[in-house]
Amino acid sequence: MTLWKCSGPCASTCKQDVLQKKKNAVLVDGVILNGPITDSKAGEKFVEEACKIIMEEIIQKADDVTEKVCEWRAPETLKKILDLEMRDTGESHQKLLQLCQDVIQYSVKTNHPRFFNQLYAGIDYYSLVARFITEALNPSVYTYEVSPVFLLVEEAVIKKMIEFIGWEEGDGIFNPGGSVSNMYAMNLARYKFCPEIKEKGLSGLPRLVLFTSEECHYSMKKAASFLGIGTENVYFVKTDERGKMIPEELEKQVQRARKEGSAPFLVCATAGTTVLGAFDPLDKIADICEKHDLWLHVDASWGGSALISRKHRRLLHGIQRADSVAWNPHKMLLAGIQCCALLVKDNSGLLKKCYSAKAAYLFQQDKFYDVSYDTGDKSIQCSRRPDAFKFWLMWKALGTTGLEERVNRALALARYLVEEIKKREGFQLLLEPEYANVCFWYIPPSLRKMEDGPEFWQKLHRVAPVVKERMMKKGSMMLGYQPNQGKVNFFRQVVISPQVSREDMDFLLDEIELLAKDL
């Protein structure tokens, strides 16, 4: 590219260097091996220009509500805009920079204050810098020799998270997602129940059964399928009107499984369900687990961050009695996707015993340092990202009080929105939330005088999808909707980002009214 082509006095020097390399060339299979083939100066210039685009188009616009949340295009249209074809020859840097611009323009701005679509949102500048650092260093966290800093950071973060759960000691590992943490826990519980499965496999085992609530995350079914337990052996326990597991129903299911001749081994409780934000009664569930000698796993991927708040940690009362906990700081605490830990009460090396393969080329026992820091063998992965680092740097920057403030403010904004919904005609809450999930219907003017019956609910079911389509094509905001447990489509608004304000809550309600006024 002409922008970085040698010119002036240096041109002759560059030419001489090239001629000298050719003169002294060492060839193998026709390939010249002298010197690097990468143009470092051009690469550095490209990174500099790309970082400028990132700063101007993403970071500086992150809290600007006048920007669009998304620039919607249909898939076929977007394919043409992005020029996705990969060719035999490389593109110019100028073309690549334009592609970077296009990618940013047509991507959803999850850091926008009016992105309420998922259980993650917003931007934390410290965790973002941590991600820049780890992307540039490109480490893999398995042995101390190749990742000394990040292994120590992960150890420190896990220790602190264990303290907040209320355990005196424990173990843990960061994983690529809460779904993987839940799978780890399921497999770990099964290994504890029958250790011989690691070597002998499933043959000869009794029919293993696990229990979880009707409102659990779908990853429990996927994990049961993946691990060979089978989805039919996941017993779903009834929930109450708030979406909480009913302990008496759990007891009935355990008794049923025993009578069937099955072998119960695991109960998965949920602390912060995906849709309703419900917290299962952990203490009562723990009583049943102790009675029947069952492993208790708590999927606190969403709700675990309430442990940071002295005001709201009561939501997870009894979590210290769990055998394992999944907790995702990338959700409520904004550590950046992905940042997910599986924490285990056992400190006898159960994680390593379950997952270790003792790869001799990585985990040599005669190294010159303390090999207990080579923690990668307790992971099912080989290469593993240093996800704890972004949480650690953010925690160092904000302190525990800063993280606590985020949780408290998010839940206070959710409470404000609830009170505003109650005041407005046409808005109807599903239930009083106990966390940051605010679930509600919007009933357009044309339906407000209809009798409550099948036709009314059928028509109301069609409102949310239309409103969602309109808001995305306009780019004004993003808000999720879904049916749930026999209830027709309703909106689920989730408050997370510290960039969100009271004005954004008011805008959300105003915008729904505007988009649905003709329905």
Side-chain angles (χ1 to χ4, degrees):
M1 184 178 173
T2 54
L3 182 61
W4 297 295
K5 186 177 179 180
C6 289
S7 59
C10 75
S12 58
T13 305
C14 290
K15 188 174 181 180
Q16 289 172 9
D17 288 344
V18 171
L19 291 172
Q20 186 64 33
K21 284 180 180 179
K22 284 185 177 180
K23 183 179 179 181
N24 301 322
V26 174
L27 287 93
V28 175
D29 294 335
V31 178
I32 298 175
L33 303 184
N34 298 56
I37 62 168
T38 303
D39 186 341
S40 298
K41 293 297 181 184
E44 290 166 11
K45 185 67 175 177
F46 177 74
V47 171
E48 182 182 336
E49 293 293 323
C51 284
K52 183 180 178 183
I53 292 171
I54 292 169
M55 177 61 75
E56 292 176 353
E57 298 300 321
I58 301 176
I59 298 172
Q60 291 177 354
K61 293 180 179 180
D63 60 353
D64 187 350
V65 295
T66 66
E67 292 288 324
K68 287 186 175 183
V69 178
C70 62
E71 189 78 51
W72 172 259
R73 293 292 186 276
E76 293 306 317
T77 304
L78 193 54
K79 286 178 185 179
K80 294 175 183 176
I81 293 173
L82 294 177
D83 183 20
L84 297 171
E85 181 67 25
M86 290 156 284
R87 300 175 177 86
D88 291 340
T89 57
E91 309 278 4
S92 71
H93 279 186
Q94 207 59 49
K95 176 71 181 296
L96 294 175
L97 291 171
Q98 183 57 53
L99 285 172
C100 291
Q101 291 269 19
D102 293 341
V103 166
I104 294 169
Q105 180 178 351
Y106 296 106
S107 291
V108 174
K109 311 305 186 294
T110 63
N111 47 26
H112 194 287
R114 290 169 184 172
F115 176 81
F116 308 117
N117 209 65
Q118 315 296 151
L119 299 185
Y120 65 90
I123 184 172
D124 177 84
Y125 302 103
Y126 306 104
S127 67
L128 182 61
V129 168
R131 280 181 275 170
F132 288 160
I133 291 170
T134 55
E135 289 298 324
L137 288 172
N138 196 33
S140 182
V141 186
Y142 34 55
T143 62
Y144 185 82
E145 65 183 282
V146 296
S147 194
V149 173
F150 299 121
L151 276 168
L152 294 180
V153 165
E154 182 173 76
E155 180 185 61
V157 171
I158 286 172
K159 182 180 179 182
K160 197 71 173 177
M161 294 174 82
I162 283 170
E163 287 178 17
F164 275 92
I165 290 173
W167 298 334
E168 293 183 2
E169 59 180 12
D171 198 1
I173 195 161
F174 274 74
N175 302 306
S179 295
V180 175
S181 293
N182 288 336
M183 186 181 71
Y184 263 81
M186 189 180 294
N187 194 47
L188 195 62
R190 183 174 65 175
Y191 175 78
K192 180 72 183 299
F193 183 77
C194 44
E196 66 274 12
I197 192 174
K198 181 177 178 180
E199 295 179 352
K200 296 182 179 179
L202 296 170
S203 60
L205 285 180
R207 180 184 174 224
L208 298 177
V209 169
L210 65 104
F211 310 89
T212 189
S213 88
E214 295 175 330
E215 292 285 334
C216 75
H217 191 261
Y218 66 85
S219 60
M220 298 308 296
K221 285 181 71 173
K222 288 198 171 190
S225 173
F226 186 83
L227 294 172
I229 292 168
T231 57
E232 289 185 0
N233 297 317
V234 180
Y235 283 24
F236 293 100
V237 181
K238 290 180 180 178
T239 56
D240 62 18
E241 68 282 354
R242 298 190 59 80
K244 299 170 179 285
M245 185 191 292
I246 302 171
E248 294 79 11
E249 293 296 326
L250 172 62
E251 177 68 35
K252 289 178 185 176
Q253 292 277 37
V254 175
Q255 297 285 2
R256 169 194 158 198
R258 295 243 192 251
K259 288 177 182 177
E260 293 171 348
S262 302
F265 74 103
L266 166 69
V267 174
C268 176
T270 309
T273 59
T274 304
V275 177
L276 300 179
F279 288 74
D280 289 340
L282 301 181
D283 244 348
K284 292 181 179 179
I285 293 171
D287 288 341
I288 295 170
C289 290
E290 286 184 8
K291 176 182 174 182
H292 295 283
D293 194 24
L294 302 173
W295 182 285
L296 174 57
H297 173 64
V298 178
D299 179 7
S301 298
W302 171 221
S305 296
L307 289 167
I308 299 289
S309 167
R310 286 165 291 185
K311 182 176 182 180
H312 298 292
R313 64 173 293 120
R314 57 179 171 72
L315 292 168
L316 297 103
H317 179 72
I319 196 171
Q320 75 282 356
R321 299 176 66 186
D323 295 291
S324 58
V325 174
W327 178 1
N328 293 4
H330 76 231
K331 296 182 185 288
M332 178 63 78
L333 297 179
L334 280 81
I337 291 177
Q338 51 204 17
C339 188
C340 315
L342 173 70
L343 307 163
V344 182
K345 184 186 286 186
D346 176 275
N347 198 33
S348 69
L350 186 66
L351 257 177
K352 189 171 182 179
K353 291 172 190 173
C354 180
Y355 292 109
S356 173
K358 299 180 181 178
Y361 75 96
L362 277 176
F363 304 110
Q364 305 93 329
Q365 296 304 294
D366 55 357
K367 292 181 179 181
F368 64 93
Y369 59 86
D370 182 354
V371 295
S372 68
Y373 286 98
D374 289 353
T375 58
D377 212 15
K378 61 186 180 183
S379 168
I380 60 172
Q381 299 170 254
C382 181
S383 299
R384 194 165 61 88
R385 296 171 63 87
D387 291 325
F389 178 62
K390 52 197 168 190
F391 188 27
W392 176 81
L393 190 63
M394 182 180 71
W395 204 331
K396 292 284 282 185
L398 301 177
T400 303
T401 54
L403 297 178
E404 180 181 29
E405 183 182 3
R406 283 190 175 175
V407 176
N408 291 344
R409 188 173 187 276
L411 269 64
L413 277 168
R415 174 48 50 192
Y416 171 82
L417 180 62
V418 167
E419 296 307 314
E420 289 303 304
I421 285 172
K422 290 177 181 178
K423 295 176 187 175
R424 296 208 185 197
E425 185 180 6
F427 288 89
Q428 182 179 326
L429 283 171
L430 260 74
L431 73 168
E432 287 282 342
E434 60 180 344
Y435 200 46
N437 308 48
V438 181
C439 299
F440 63 93
W441 287 289
Y442 177 68
I443 305 168
S446 65
L447 301 182
R448 289 175 194 169
K449 294 181 180 180
M450 280 189 69
E451 290 186 10
D452 187 345
E455 185 183 359
F456 169 79
W457 292 107
Q458 189 178 45
K459 288 186 175 182
L460 185 59
H461 184 66
R462 295 196 290 264
V463 170
V466 175
V467 174
K468 177 66 176 281
E469 178 185 355
R470 290 177 177 181
M471 73 174 68
M472 288 196 66
K473 289 182 175 178
K474 183 178 178 182
S476 57
M477 64 180 185
M478 279 186 68
L479 179 66
Y481 75 87
Q482 62 285 299
N484 188 65
Q485 299 292 345
K487 294 182 172 65
V488 303
N489 281 328
F490 56 87
F491 293 109
R492 181 201 64 172
Q493 202 276 355
V494 182
V495 183
I496 298 176
S497 171
Q499 279 86 16
V500 174
S501 66
R502 175 191 64 79
E503 291 82 1
D504 296 313
M505 299 295 95
D506 294 337
F507 174 85
L508 181 145
L509 300 180
D510 291 341
E511 186 71 357
I512 290 174
E513 286 183 323
L514 178 66
L515 296 173
K517 64 183 179 181
D518 63 333
L519 296 180

